Amino acid sequence: MSEAAVIPSALFRILTLGYTNFDSKSRVASLLKTKYSSSTDCHVAQPDQDQPMRITYFIVLFVLFSILPEAYAQELTDVINWTGEITLEENEEVLTDRVNVRVEDNRFLISDTRENQVREYARDGTLLNYFGADDPQAPGGGWFPSTPLRMSEDTILVPNKGNGSLSLVDENGNPLERHTHIAKSGDFDVASLPVDGHVLFVGSANGRQGTPNFLHHLDPSSGEVTKSFYPLPGAFGSHAGFLYDISPIVRVDVYAGKIAVGFLFSNNITLLDIDGTLLDEIEPTLSSFKKVEQTEEMPARDEWEEELARRSLSNTLYWLNGETLLVQFTNSYFDDQGERQLNRVLAAVTTEGEVLFEIEDTPRLLAVDQETGDLFFAHPDHDFESHWRVGQVKEEVLP
């Protein structure tokens, strides 16, 4: 058994004994000797016969808490150094729902899923520009923008989850190119690739024959898919077209020529190079992740929705650096009033599959700046996602 597993077990047993119920000092010494003799170099000095057992008890607690690994941290502040807050400037609209955020060198590109607008902000939250559904220059009807991607200083690529199209627009939202019905399902994403102006299209693409793939190289100027890879990872029942109604299915982030891929129902992470060649597959041991059961037959819609409500759903996957990934998933529960609530769990894992920490009840992770290491969270004290907290993972937590 590893030290990480032994220490919490020993601590729990000591706490349940209670210092007022010790028969003698030997109970503590015996427990520690048994637990640590083969796994750590921790030594607890034998107390003098005249020392009160209460003092020994607190010494033991101090030693145990001082060597507990970060993976057993209980609060986000145990692993995050908070460095600031950002309040996004509002125009006549209000950021009332979820926002999709793309981090740039000195700016943010944001889509507001309630007002269906694309907005550009400076790093201090100053609104620089915006365009969207209520703007007469909005590119076409059914405008429901997902996370935008800057292609150049004056062009932006906007996925439209309303109709599965891609719009290439200028900095004011004026349409330059529009490619319709790129995706089979309404929701999809794009990510930058170091491949001759191509982007990584994430979703099920129209017009592709054979086994459905979820990752594609796409030329945004022509709308042509030039390469497809990453089929459905595992059999989750014969969902056929119904599977495409559950969106987005695949979580992706790209860093230094490597693609990290996660799946909505799984804690598995696949690492690929930019051409789709498999580099590694890891399955971090996330203690609070509840996997969806694989089925032989397609369940009825209501049964499937009930099953999903009982299981964990992976929401976010980000590279923090070349060795560490951040994963955030949700678990559902019902409060005392019978209302369904979400518990967001944030975990950091290495490319070897080691869990650095796993913390429950965390605010939504909006974005990660891979250059600076900044993490941007929705502020837990505000209802709207126009208020953010900014922090960095503590150096001592990282490998």
Side-chain angles (χ1 to χ4, degrees):
M1 182 179 293
S2 68
E3 176 182 323
V6 169
I7 295 174
S9 175
L11 177 59
F12 174 78
R13 292 182 60 189
I14 291 175
L15 289 174
T16 54
L17 286 174
Y19 65 82
T20 58
N21 292 323
F22 286 141
D23 291 334
S24 70
K25 64 181 182 301
S26 62
R27 297 185 65 180
V28 178
S30 175
L31 174 60
L32 291 173
K33 181 178 180 181
T34 301
K35 290 296 182 182
Y36 293 114
S37 59
S38 61
S39 59
T40 77
D41 294 328
C42 175
H43 299 283
V44 177
Q46 292 288 338
D48 187 81
Q49 292 290 338
D50 297 328
Q51 268 190 315
M53 283 307 301
R54 180 178 302 182
I55 296 177
T56 303
Y57 174 76
F58 286 116
I59 291 174
V60 170
L61 289 184
F62 173 79
V63 172
L64 288 175
F65 276 117
S66 66
I67 62 177
L68 275 174
E70 292 292 345
Y72 294 94
Q74 296 298 309
E75 302 289 341
L76 201 54
T77 52
D78 294 336
V79 296
I80 300 292
N81 282 323
W82 298 112
T83 58
E85 298 185 2
I86 298 175
T87 298
L88 301 182
E89 180 185 356
E90 298 174 353
N91 52 23
E92 68 273 13
E93 307 291 353
V94 179
L95 294 173
T96 53
D97 202 1
R98 291 166 61 92
V99 294
N100 301 307
V101 182
R102 184 87 62 184
V103 177
E104 299 186 325
D105 290 338
N106 56 0
R107 294 172 291 189
F108 303 108
L109 271 179
I110 293 174
S111 67
D112 174 11
T113 60
R114 175 67 176 268
E115 303 299 338
N116 297 320
Q117 290 186 344
V118 173
R119 305 179 185 188
E120 182 180 6
Y121 286 92
R123 281 297 182 106
D124 63 359
T126 302
L127 179 63
L128 302 176
N129 197 13
Y130 73 97
F131 56 88
D134 296 329
D135 192 311
Q137 297 297 325
W143 175 248
F144 300 100
S146 185
T147 312
L149 176 65
R150 185 176 298 280
M151 300 302 300
S152 67
E153 183 60 30
D154 54 0
T155 58
I156 300 172
L157 186 65
V158 184
N160 186 354
K161 63 183 180 181
N163 56 20
S165 67
L166 276 172
S167 295
L168 192 63
V169 302
D170 66 18
E171 67 274 17
N172 294 314
N174 300 309
L176 303 174
E177 297 284 348
R178 188 178 182 215
H179 308 296
T180 60
H181 306 295
I182 296 291
K184 285 184 179 180
S185 62
D187 207 350
F188 60 98
D189 199 3
V190 291
S192 60
L193 275 180
V195 181
D196 294 334
H198 280 62
V199 299
L200 185 66
F201 176 91
V202 184
S204 182
N206 267 320
R208 310 301 292 180
Q209 303 299 319
T211 302
N213 290 302
F214 289 94
L215 299 181
H216 320 269
H217 288 191
L218 182 139
D219 182 351
S221 61
S222 65
E224 178 185 2
V225 173
T226 59
K227 185 181 183 66
S228 294
F229 49 97
Y230 190 70
L232 177 66
F236 288 89
S238 303
H239 305 308
F242 177 63
L243 183 60
Y244 301 114
D245 292 336
I246 306 168
S247 59
I249 297 172
V250 177
R251 317 294 188 218
V252 169
D253 199 24
V254 181
Y255 179 77
K258 292 191 294 185
I259 304 172
V261 190
F263 193 68
L264 179 66
F265 314 119
S266 174
N267 60 325
N268 294 60
I269 299 173
T270 302
L271 303 180
L272 310 168
D273 68 14
I274 58 175
D275 292 319
T277 302
L278 178 65
L279 300 177
D280 203 356
E281 290 182 306
I282 60 176
E283 185 176 3
T285 304
L286 300 172
S287 60
S288 52
F289 194 96
K290 298 174 286 187
K291 278 191 173 182
V292 171
E293 300 290 340
Q294 296 190 9
T295 59
E296 295 293 333
E297 298 179 356
M298 176 179 172
R301 179 179 291 270
D302 56 347
E303 294 176 348
W304 179 243
E305 291 176 349
E306 289 178 5
E307 174 68 12
L308 289 183
R310 293 192 295 267
R311 304 297 175 181
S312 300
L313 297 180
S314 178
N315 305 111
T316 300
L317 176 64
Y318 287 113
W319 285 102
L320 179 61
N321 53 48
E323 298 179 343
T324 309
L325 293 146
L326 295 174
V327 181
Q328 191 171 53
F329 57 93
T330 55
N331 290 324
S332 299
Y333 68 95
F334 291 93
D335 60 21
D336 295 338
Q337 286 72 42
E339 298 291 332
R340 182 180 174 184
Q341 304 293 335
L342 294 179
N343 173 19
R344 290 189 178 89
V345 183
L346 181 68
V349 302
T350 69
T351 52
E352 303 297 323
E354 177 189 359
V355 178
L356 303 178
F357 62 79
E358 181 180 357
I359 300 177
E360 299 190 30
D361 295 318
T362 59
R364 193 165 81 90
L365 179 60
L366 303 174
V368 173
D369 188 333
Q370 297 169 341
E371 296 298 322
T372 65
D374 286 335
L375 278 57
F376 303 93
F377 292 88
H379 201 299
D381 296 336
H382 295 270
D383 294 331
F384 301 155
E385 291 189 346
S386 54
H387 299 271
W388 299 358
R389 291 194 77 184
V390 185
Q392 294 192 345
V393 178
K394 295 180 179 180
E395 290 186 4
E396 58 266 29
V397 176
L398 299 175

